[in-house]
């Protein structure tokens, strides 16, 4: 109830649910295993486990969403808790969510720290389109990507449904394309 009333409804996230509504299975992307030469269907959207009753409302898993909905959430975090003219959380709370909460000397590796529900970029990524210090985001198990880069005022959401994680290279090529198209690395 809190998530629905406090976040999903005010953000207009109509496609973000814990359990698929009747008839929505046809809109859900099918999940594929792409580890072999031929992609294999793992789960059809029409026969998704997300249509089953929810037995655990987990904070780190369980929601089904769309790229526009996820982008609305990320944009609200980027805007320090503001969605249009509606304040959903204080600026301090939004910044805390996307801050590094790991203690000194503890790292998530590769120049990363960890925030509440995502990674925090401690050291700038030098690759084209690479994150600047303070960028925050997460990758889902089946290829979903979402991040915000406050210094660039950039929020990105991209979704695919392919296992295993990393079998489809999306993150690097997407960042490089954004860098080129938006001039992110231009002096």
């Amino acid at each position: 109830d809190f998530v629905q009333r406090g976040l999903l409804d005010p953000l207009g996230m109509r496609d973000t649910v814990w359990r698929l509504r009747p008839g929505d299975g046809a809109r859900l992307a099918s999940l594929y295993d792409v580890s072999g030469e031929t992609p294999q269907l793992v789960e059809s959207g029409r026969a998704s486990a997300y249509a089953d009753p929810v037995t655990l409302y987990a904070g780190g898993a369980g929601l089904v969403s769309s790229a526009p909905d996820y982008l609305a959430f990320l944009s609200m975090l980027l805007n320090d808790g503001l969605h249009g003219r509606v304040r959903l959380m204080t600026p301090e709370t939004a910044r805390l969510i996307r801050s590094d909460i790991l203690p000194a000397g503890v790292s998530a590796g590769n120049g990363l720290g960890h925030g509440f529900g995502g990674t925090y970029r401690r050291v700038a990524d030098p690759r084209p389109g690479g994150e600047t210090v303070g960028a925050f985001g997460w990758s889902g198990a089946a290829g979903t990507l979402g991040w915000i880069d406050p210094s660039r005022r950039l929020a990105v959401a991209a979704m695919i449904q392919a296992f295993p994680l990393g079998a489809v290279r999306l993150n690097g090529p997407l960042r490089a394309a954004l860098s080129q198209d938006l001039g992110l690395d231009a002096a």
Side-chain angles (χ1 to χ4, degrees):
D1 288 341
F2 171 79
V3 171
Q4 189 69 50
R5 287 192 317 260
L7 288 174
L8 304 182
D9 289 345
L11 285 168
M13 296 175 68
R14 291 171 189 78
D15 287 327
T16 304
V17 295
W18 296 97
R19 180 182 183 189
L20 290 178
R21 294 175 293 256
D24 276 356
R27 296 180 56 227
L28 186 66
S30 296
L31 175 61
Y32 289 89
D33 178 340
V34 295
S35 60
E37 298 217 4
T38 305
Q40 300 294 313
L41 180 66
V42 173
E43 180 181 79
S44 164
R46 287 183 168 80
S48 173
Y50 286 104
D52 297 340
V54 178
T55 57
L56 173 65
Y57 291 92
L63 282 171
V64 176
S65 193
S66 65
D69 277 14
Y70 192 28
L71 185 59
F73 174 74
L74 293 170
S75 296
M76 179 271 303
L77 285 180
L78 179 65
N79 291 316
D80 290 337
L82 195 61
H83 176 67
R85 295 182 177 183
V86 177
R87 175 144 313 276
L88 299 177
M89 60 183 68
T90 67
E92 295 80 15
T93 299
R95 288 183 202 126
L96 179 62
I97 288 171
R98 61 179 212 242
S99 68
D100 187 3
I101 61 172
L102 293 180
V106 177
S107 171
N110 298 324
L112 298 174
H114 212 285
F116 291 99
T119 57
Y120 173 90
R121 175 60 62 183
R122 289 180 174 172
V123 177
D125 182 344
R127 295 174 292 186
E131 298 170 328
T132 62
V133 173
F136 172 83
W138 194 250
S139 302
T144 296
L145 295 174
W147 75 88
I148 59 176
D149 197 329
S151 70
R152 291 178 170 149
R153 301 291 306 150
L154 178 68
V156 177
M159 295 185 171
I160 61 171
Q161 288 294 290
F163 274 139
L165 179 62
V168 175
R169 288 183 16 91
L170 178 62
N171 194 359
L174 177 59
R175 288 177 190 274
L178 287 172
S179 176
Q180 181 177 354
D181 290 349
L182 301 176
L184 299 180
D185 297 320

